[in-house]
Amino acid sequence: MAEKISVYIHIPFCAAKCNYCAFNSKVAPADLRESYVDALVAEINSNHSSLFPVPSIYFGGGTPTILTLNQLEKIFNAVQKNFRVDADAEITIEANPGTVDKNFLRGLRELGFNRISLGVQSINDALLKILGRIHTARTAIDTVTTAQNFFDNVSLDLMYGLPRQTLADVKADVQRAAYLNVTHISIYGLEVEEGTKFFHLHEEGKLNLPDENICGDMYDYITATLPRLGYERYEVSNFAKAGFESRHNIGYWTGRKYFGFGAGAHSYTGEKRTSNIADVESYVKKIRAGSDVSQLEEVVTKTAAIEEFCFLGLRLTEGIDSKIFSERFGENIFDVYKNVIEKNLRLGLLGISGDKIFLTARGMKLGNVVFADFLLS
Ligand code: SF4
């Protein structure tokens, strides 16, 4: 059976730039969006990998739903034409509240998307304003409930550790999100990234972030409460009702190969990693000129592949499968990482059950410390 490959499509446009955002996204006029779609379709059509079965497709951004349904259809059709998409493939689109209405959501479902991931971030007007989001709490709730009329699989993103956010705010957001009865919740701690408005405010000492202890309490509340509300944690930042874990992301964490199309998109073929030029105008220009838009990021050595297998696998609550490690690398993980595994078991950061090596709850909280131990070079 041919090896499976996931497909990622990047749409680098947004209605406004959020204050914390360091993603490859920008506000762009309609004509640039149109040229981008044409370039993206040309890039997809120029790939020659149609033999690979595709179990998942992910339209991410940016805000993919800033495009029209016609534009999304063009891209969707190009993917379908160029790949052998599994009949039961998980096909996700990211959408932001305030960019979709009932007709649009119905249109997405009719196109063939079967999972929608909503960038809600918070259900609190004051915090949404601080984040620079275009939606209100009311819009977020309405978008989720409308999406549920068309999609069985609705995910939402939340954030914690935000400026002026209190533990009570986090509790309210988590309870509201669960009350909405979505199938999947991703929850991320804020990271202040260079080049963002938040970064400048932080430099000037004006960001008013909650202190480390409060962030720790927020984390503890989230990780203890979501499972009680029916959302099992299956990855460091991801919680799902049974059967609704993101198949696309699990593919990524278990080392599945993927093709990324669009400005700044990354691809991984097992032997190498490549990335596309990130600047949208240059991307369009190069595609029009028939030039290559991708550049080599890394030739993946065996050492790098082993490290990555461990970092990514440990993000999953079920952990690394030592049998798969042996099959893939021809070595025993307990030989390669003897001291590292023993040390972290002793510290209570790792656990072992059958063939699996996993982070304990304490290990999840201190993930970066454990990941650093798994560096071989
Ligand atoms: S909607 Fe998402 S991608 Fe767009 S600016 Fe905001 S955080 Fe960035």
Side-chain angles (χ1 to χ4, degrees):
M1 198 171 65
E3 193 172 359
K4 292 189 181 273
I5 284 207
S6 296
V7 172
Y8 174 79
I9 305 289
H10 190 68
I11 309 297
F13 305 118
C14 286
K17 190 77 182 169
C18 301
N19 296 335
Y20 59 97
C21 179
F23 295 124
N24 184 27
S25 74
K26 64 186 212 164
V27 180
D31 56 343
L32 179 57
R33 299 203 295 264
E34 187 65 32
S35 335
Y36 181 78
V37 170
D38 291 342
L40 187 50
V41 168
E43 191 199 358
I44 298 167
N45 283 337
S46 71
N47 118 85
H48 303 287
S49 306
S50 53
L51 288 179
F52 296 111
V54 171
S56 68
I57 304 171
Y58 196 101
F59 279 52
T63 306
T65 47
I66 207 91
L67 297 182
T68 63
L69 281 173
N70 278 344
Q71 290 170 327
L72 288 169
E73 186 174 14
K74 275 193 203 169
I75 304 166
F76 196 91
N77 289 345
V79 176
Q80 293 283 353
K81 194 177 91 189
N82 286 282
F83 289 93
R84 269 200 318 161
V85 181
D86 289 349
D88 65 345
E90 178 189 89
I91 308 179
T92 303
I93 186 160
E94 286 181 354
N96 282 315
T99 63
V100 285
D101 61 13
K102 191 171 153 194
N103 290 335
F104 200 97
L105 290 162
R106 181 189 289 116
L108 291 176
R109 189 67 193 93
E110 284 170 1
L111 273 183
F113 291 98
N114 52 28
R115 181 172 184 272
I116 188 161
S117 174
L118 297 166
V120 166
Q121 316 311 352
S122 173
I123 311 177
N124 174 318
D125 282 336
L127 290 170
L128 287 167
K129 206 164 172 200
I130 289 173
L131 291 173
R133 302 291 305 195
I134 59 165
H135 64 272
T136 60
R138 185 71 255 163
T139 322
I141 291 168
D142 289 348
T143 304
V144 171
T145 50
T146 312
Q148 285 168 321
N149 291 326
F150 303 103
F151 290 84
D152 297 330
N153 196 352
V154 177
S155 174
L156 63 78
D157 289 358
L158 290 178
M159 296 178 79
Y160 72 95
L162 304 177
R164 299 188 187 281
Q165 190 179 35
T166 64
L167 180 58
D169 292 333
V170 169
K171 289 183 179 178
D173 268 353
V174 166
Q175 298 286 344
R176 283 178 193 144
Y179 182 75
L180 286 168
N181 203 22
V182 289
T183 48
H184 185 279
I185 298 175
S186 302
I187 190 153
Y188 303 99
L190 173 72
E191 299 211 357
V192 179
E193 309 234 26
E194 218 170 322
T196 62
K197 279 194 190 156
F198 273 9
F199 185 80
H200 298 299
L201 286 172
H202 195 44
E203 294 272 278
E204 291 165 14
K206 294 182 187 159
L207 198 55
N208 292 310
L209 292 174
D211 74 28
E212 240 176 64
N213 291 335
I214 296 181
C215 287
D217 291 347
M218 291 172 172
Y219 173 95
D220 290 341
Y221 176 80
I222 292 160
T223 52
T225 308
L226 281 173
R228 278 209 296 272
L229 295 171
Y231 296 90
E232 278 309 321
R233 186 183 202 182
Y234 69 99
E235 195 266 347
V236 173
S237 309
N238 286 282
F239 301 76
K241 292 198 173 179
F244 289 96
E245 299 82 6
S246 161
R247 278 152 52 196
H248 184 84
N249 288 340
I250 287 181
Y252 171 70
W253 293 312
T254 51
R256 188 190 298 140
K257 298 169 186 177
Y258 53 88
F259 287 121
F261 297 101
H266 290 246
S267 297
Y268 171 57
T269 62
E271 294 79 37
K272 59 182 183 171
R273 287 183 182 286
T274 55
S275 69
N276 282 355
I277 186 163
D279 179 70
V280 177
E281 280 91 345
S282 311
Y283 169 85
V284 171
K285 231 190 217 163
K286 282 202 162 207
I287 295 266
R288 275 188 183 151
S291 321
D292 193 357
V293 288
S294 76
Q295 61 192 34
L296 181 66
E297 286 285 326
E298 183 193 6
V299 173
V300 183
T301 61
K302 183 177 170 188
T303 303
I306 287 179
E307 288 172 346
E308 194 169 287
F309 180 84
C310 293
F311 299 155
L312 294 175
L314 286 173
R315 293 187 64 88
L316 291 164
T317 42
E318 71 168 35
I320 303 167
D321 190 314
S322 56
K323 256 198 188 150
I324 295 179
F325 185 99
S326 310
E327 284 162 19
R328 203 168 285 184
F329 303 111
E331 295 191 55
N332 186 323
I333 193 168
F334 295 100
D335 295 334
V336 180
Y337 285 113
K338 185 173 186 299
N339 295 338
V340 172
I341 294 174
E342 279 174 8
K343 175 187 144 191
N344 284 289
L345 281 171
R346 218 172 31 245
L347 293 172
L349 300 177
L350 280 183
I352 295 182
S353 169
D355 294 328
K356 305 282 187 172
I357 303 165
F358 56 88
L359 289 176
T360 58
R362 206 168 103 76
M364 280 262 171
K365 202 169 177 183
L366 302 172
N368 287 340
V369 177
V370 186
F371 298 154
D373 273 352
F374 275 81
L375 276 173
L376 291 168
S377 36

PDB file of all heavy atoms in Angstrom, residues 13-25 61-63 96 121 132-133, ligand 1:
ATOM      1  N   PHE A  13      -4.073  35.524   4.538  1.00  0.00           N
ATOM      2  CA  PHE A  13      -4.811  36.797   4.611  1.00  0.00           C
ATOM      3  C   PHE A  13      -5.714  36.843   5.834  1.00  0.00           C
ATOM      4  O   PHE A  13      -6.251  35.816   6.242  1.00  0.00           O
ATOM      5  CB  PHE A  13      -5.676  36.974   3.354  1.00  0.00           C
ATOM      6  CG  PHE A  13      -4.901  36.869   2.073  1.00  0.00           C
ATOM      7  CD1 PHE A  13      -5.194  35.877   1.161  1.00  0.00           C
ATOM      8  CD2 PHE A  13      -3.871  37.754   1.803  1.00  0.00           C
ATOM      9  CE1 PHE A  13      -4.471  35.765  -0.018  1.00  0.00           C
ATOM     10  CE2 PHE A  13      -3.138  37.650   0.624  1.00  0.00           C
ATOM     11  CZ  PHE A  13      -3.439  36.652  -0.284  1.00  0.00           C
ATOM     12  N   CYS A  14      -5.866  38.043   6.376  1.00  0.00           N
ATOM     13  CA  CYS A  14      -6.784  38.237   7.502  1.00  0.00           C
ATOM     14  C   CYS A  14      -7.522  39.556   7.338  1.00  0.00           C
ATOM     15  O   CYS A  14      -7.073  40.441   6.607  1.00  0.00           O
ATOM     16  CB  CYS A  14      -6.004  38.254   8.817  1.00  0.00           C
ATOM     17  SG  CYS A  14      -5.460  36.603   9.273  1.00  0.00           S
ATOM     18  N   ALA A  15      -8.640  39.671   8.057  1.00  0.00           N
ATOM     19  CA  ALA A  15      -9.421  40.903   7.995  1.00  0.00           C
ATOM     20  C   ALA A  15      -8.682  42.035   8.708  1.00  0.00           C
ATOM     21  O   ALA A  15      -8.797  43.210   8.346  1.00  0.00           O
ATOM     22  CB  ALA A  15     -10.779  40.681   8.642  1.00  0.00           C
ATOM     23  N   ALA A  16      -7.910  41.700   9.741  1.00  0.00           N
ATOM     24  CA  ALA A  16      -7.098  42.680  10.494  1.00  0.00           C
ATOM     25  C   ALA A  16      -5.986  41.888  11.159  1.00  0.00           C
ATOM     26  O   ALA A  16      -6.099  40.674  11.318  1.00  0.00           O
ATOM     27  CB  ALA A  16      -7.960  43.367  11.549  1.00  0.00           C
ATOM     28  N   LYS A  17      -4.900  42.582  11.507  1.00  0.00           N
ATOM     29  CA  LYS A  17      -3.795  41.848  12.143  1.00  0.00           C
ATOM     30  C   LYS A  17      -3.984  41.907  13.664  1.00  0.00           C
ATOM     31  O   LYS A  17      -4.088  42.997  14.247  1.00  0.00           O
ATOM     32  CB  LYS A  17      -2.467  42.503  11.738  1.00  0.00           C
ATOM     33  CG  LYS A  17      -1.242  41.699  12.127  1.00  0.00           C
ATOM     34  CD  LYS A  17      -1.001  40.519  11.204  1.00  0.00           C
ATOM     35  CE  LYS A  17       0.202  39.706  11.641  1.00  0.00           C
ATOM     36  NZ  LYS A  17       0.341  38.432  10.947  1.00  0.00           N
ATOM     37  N   CYS A  18      -4.037  40.749  14.302  1.00  0.00           N
ATOM     38  CA  CYS A  18      -4.226  40.724  15.756  1.00  0.00           C
ATOM     39  C   CYS A  18      -2.937  41.168  16.463  1.00  0.00           C
ATOM     40  O   CYS A  18      -1.840  41.015  15.926  1.00  0.00           O
ATOM     41  CB  CYS A  18      -4.618  39.328  16.212  1.00  0.00           C
ATOM     42  SG  CYS A  18      -6.138  38.746  15.436  1.00  0.00           S
ATOM     43  N   ASN A  19      -3.105  41.660  17.673  1.00  0.00           N
ATOM     44  CA  ASN A  19      -1.975  42.292  18.374  1.00  0.00           C
ATOM     45  C   ASN A  19      -0.860  41.332  18.786  1.00  0.00           C
ATOM     46  O   ASN A  19       0.233  41.762  19.099  1.00  0.00           O
ATOM     47  CB  ASN A  19      -2.491  43.017  19.619  1.00  0.00           C
ATOM     48  CG  ASN A  19      -3.416  44.152  19.236  1.00  0.00           C
ATOM     49  OD1 ASN A  19      -3.312  44.688  18.122  1.00  0.00           O
ATOM     50  ND2 ASN A  19      -4.334  44.520  20.127  1.00  0.00           N
ATOM     51  N   TYR A  20      -1.170  40.030  18.811  1.00  0.00           N
ATOM     52  CA  TYR A  20      -0.178  39.058  19.264  1.00  0.00           C
ATOM     53  C   TYR A  20       0.351  38.200  18.127  1.00  0.00           C
ATOM     54  O   TYR A  20       1.175  37.317  18.344  1.00  0.00           O
ATOM     55  CB  TYR A  20      -0.821  38.125  20.313  1.00  0.00           C
ATOM     56  CG  TYR A  20      -2.018  37.382  19.757  1.00  0.00           C
ATOM     57  CD1 TYR A  20      -1.900  36.094  19.268  1.00  0.00           C
ATOM     58  CD2 TYR A  20      -3.266  38.003  19.682  1.00  0.00           C
ATOM     59  CE1 TYR A  20      -2.992  35.432  18.727  1.00  0.00           C
ATOM     60  CE2 TYR A  20      -4.352  37.346  19.143  1.00  0.00           C
ATOM     61  CZ  TYR A  20      -4.211  36.077  18.670  1.00  0.00           C
ATOM     62  OH  TYR A  20      -5.290  35.420  18.123  1.00  0.00           O
ATOM     63  N   CYS A  21      -0.109  38.475  16.895  1.00  0.00           N
ATOM     64  CA  CYS A  21       0.076  37.501  15.823  1.00  0.00           C
ATOM     65  C   CYS A  21       1.411  37.608  15.095  1.00  0.00           C
ATOM     66  O   CYS A  21       1.751  38.655  14.555  1.00  0.00           O
ATOM     67  CB  CYS A  21      -1.047  37.638  14.811  1.00  0.00           C
ATOM     68  SG  CYS A  21      -0.846  36.485  13.443  1.00  0.00           S
ATOM     69  N   ALA A  22       2.128  36.472  15.061  1.00  0.00           N
ATOM     70  CA  ALA A  22       3.381  36.422  14.307  1.00  0.00           C
ATOM     71  C   ALA A  22       3.267  35.428  13.155  1.00  0.00           C
ATOM     72  O   ALA A  22       4.265  35.041  12.562  1.00  0.00           O
ATOM     73  CB  ALA A  22       4.518  36.020  15.240  1.00  0.00           C
ATOM     74  N   PHE A  23       2.042  34.999  12.847  1.00  0.00           N
ATOM     75  CA  PHE A  23       1.861  34.064  11.721  1.00  0.00           C
ATOM     76  C   PHE A  23       2.085  34.788  10.409  1.00  0.00           C
ATOM     77  O   PHE A  23       1.989  36.020  10.329  1.00  0.00           O
ATOM     78  CB  PHE A  23       0.434  33.486  11.711  1.00  0.00           C
ATOM     79  CG  PHE A  23       0.122  32.630  12.892  1.00  0.00           C
ATOM     80  CD1 PHE A  23      -0.974  32.918  13.698  1.00  0.00           C
ATOM     81  CD2 PHE A  23       0.909  31.537  13.220  1.00  0.00           C
ATOM     82  CE1 PHE A  23      -1.277  32.133  14.798  1.00  0.00           C
ATOM     83  CE2 PHE A  23       0.616  30.746  14.319  1.00  0.00           C
ATOM     84  CZ  PHE A  23      -0.476  31.048  15.107  1.00  0.00           C
ATOM     85  N   ASN A  24       2.303  34.001   9.360  1.00  0.00           N
ATOM     86  CA  ASN A  24       2.462  34.586   8.033  1.00  0.00           C
ATOM     87  C   ASN A  24       1.078  34.946   7.496  1.00  0.00           C
ATOM     88  O   ASN A  24       0.442  34.163   6.794  1.00  0.00           O
ATOM     89  CB  ASN A  24       3.168  33.589   7.103  1.00  0.00           C
ATOM     90  CG  ASN A  24       3.435  34.199   5.740  1.00  0.00           C
ATOM     91  OD1 ASN A  24       3.568  35.413   5.611  1.00  0.00           O
ATOM     92  ND2 ASN A  24       3.488  33.365   4.716  1.00  0.00           N
ATOM     93  N   SER A  25       0.611  36.140   7.878  1.00  0.00           N
ATOM     94  CA  SER A  25      -0.716  36.580   7.438  1.00  0.00           C
ATOM     95  C   SER A  25      -0.722  38.091   7.361  1.00  0.00           C
ATOM     96  O   SER A  25       0.005  38.753   8.106  1.00  0.00           O
ATOM     97  CB  SER A  25      -1.774  36.132   8.448  1.00  0.00           C
ATOM     98  OG  SER A  25      -1.703  36.931   9.603  1.00  0.00           O
ATOM     99  N   GLY A  61      -4.309  29.268   8.182  1.00  0.00           N
ATOM    100  CA  GLY A  61      -3.925  30.639   7.836  1.00  0.00           C
ATOM    101  C   GLY A  61      -3.193  31.324   8.963  1.00  0.00           C
ATOM    102  O   GLY A  61      -2.646  30.676   9.842  1.00  0.00           O
ATOM    103  N   GLY A  62      -3.321  32.676   8.939  1.00  0.00           N
ATOM    104  CA  GLY A  62      -4.289  33.434   8.194  1.00  0.00           C
ATOM    105  C   GLY A  62      -5.738  33.053   8.509  1.00  0.00           C
ATOM    106  O   GLY A  62      -6.042  32.396   9.489  1.00  0.00           O
ATOM    107  N   THR A  63      -6.575  33.502   7.649  1.00  0.00           N
ATOM    108  CA  THR A  63      -8.007  33.228   7.764  1.00  0.00           C
ATOM    109  C   THR A  63      -8.501  32.719   6.423  1.00  0.00           C
ATOM    110  O   THR A  63      -8.847  33.523   5.548  1.00  0.00           O
ATOM    111  CB  THR A  63      -8.774  34.524   8.137  1.00  0.00           C
ATOM    112  OG1 THR A  63      -8.213  35.095   9.316  1.00  0.00           O
ATOM    113  CG2 THR A  63     -10.252  34.252   8.360  1.00  0.00           C
ATOM    114  N   ASN A  96     -12.584  32.192  11.185  1.00  0.00           N
ATOM    115  CA  ASN A  96     -12.658  33.100  12.318  1.00  0.00           C
ATOM    116  C   ASN A  96     -14.052  33.669  12.458  1.00  0.00           C
ATOM    117  O   ASN A  96     -14.680  34.040  11.454  1.00  0.00           O
ATOM    118  CB  ASN A  96     -11.629  34.229  12.164  1.00  0.00           C
ATOM    119  CG  ASN A  96     -10.248  33.737  12.518  1.00  0.00           C
ATOM    120  OD1 ASN A  96     -10.067  33.053  13.516  1.00  0.00           O
ATOM    121  ND2 ASN A  96      -9.270  34.041  11.684  1.00  0.00           N
ATOM    122  N   GLN A 121     -10.530  32.054  20.637  1.00  0.00           N
ATOM    123  CA  GLN A 121      -9.507  32.592  21.557  1.00  0.00           C
ATOM    124  C   GLN A 121     -10.027  32.958  22.939  1.00  0.00           C
ATOM    125  O   GLN A 121      -9.395  32.683  23.940  1.00  0.00           O
ATOM    126  CB  GLN A 121      -8.753  33.797  20.950  1.00  0.00           C
ATOM    127  CG  GLN A 121      -8.325  33.653  19.495  1.00  0.00           C
ATOM    128  CD  GLN A 121      -7.606  32.352  19.165  1.00  0.00           C
ATOM    129  OE1 GLN A 121      -7.276  31.585  20.052  1.00  0.00           O
ATOM    130  NE2 GLN A 121      -7.400  32.073  17.889  1.00  0.00           N
ATOM    131  N   GLY A 132      -7.062  42.287  19.974  1.00  0.00           N
ATOM    132  CA  GLY A 132      -7.209  42.907  18.649  1.00  0.00           C
ATOM    133  C   GLY A 132      -8.013  42.030  17.702  1.00  0.00           C
ATOM    134  O   GLY A 132      -7.873  42.139  16.479  1.00  0.00           O
ATOM    135  N   ARG A 133      -8.847  41.148  18.253  1.00  0.00           N
ATOM    136  CA  ARG A 133      -9.682  40.305  17.398  1.00  0.00           C
ATOM    137  C   ARG A 133     -10.829  41.125  16.829  1.00  0.00           C
ATOM    138  O   ARG A 133     -11.255  42.110  17.439  1.00  0.00           O
ATOM    139  CB  ARG A 133     -10.264  39.128  18.202  1.00  0.00           C
ATOM    140  CG  ARG A 133      -9.252  38.248  18.859  1.00  0.00           C
ATOM    141  CD  ARG A 133      -8.447  37.434  17.903  1.00  0.00           C
ATOM    142  NE  ARG A 133      -9.238  36.627  17.007  1.00  0.00           N
ATOM    143  CZ  ARG A 133      -8.726  35.613  16.271  1.00  0.00           C
ATOM    144  NH1 ARG A 133      -7.436  35.319  16.332  1.00  0.00           N
ATOM    145  NH2 ARG A 133      -9.490  34.919  15.463  1.00  0.00           N
TER     146      ARG A 133
HETATM  147  S1  SF4 B   1      -6.823  35.960  12.796  1.00  0.00           S
HETATM  148 FE1  SF4 B   1      -5.165  34.528  13.340  1.00  0.00          FE
HETATM  149  S2  SF4 B   1      -3.708  34.600  11.647  1.00  0.00           S
HETATM  150 FE2  SF4 B   1      -5.088  36.381  11.446  1.00  0.00          FE
HETATM  151  S3  SF4 B   1      -3.995  38.045  12.426  1.00  0.00           S
HETATM  152 FE3  SF4 B   1      -5.342  37.140  13.974  1.00  0.00          FE
HETATM  153  S4  SF4 B   1      -4.092  35.572  14.995  1.00  0.00           S
HETATM  154 FE4  SF4 B   1      -3.043  36.138  13.097  1.00  0.00          FE
END
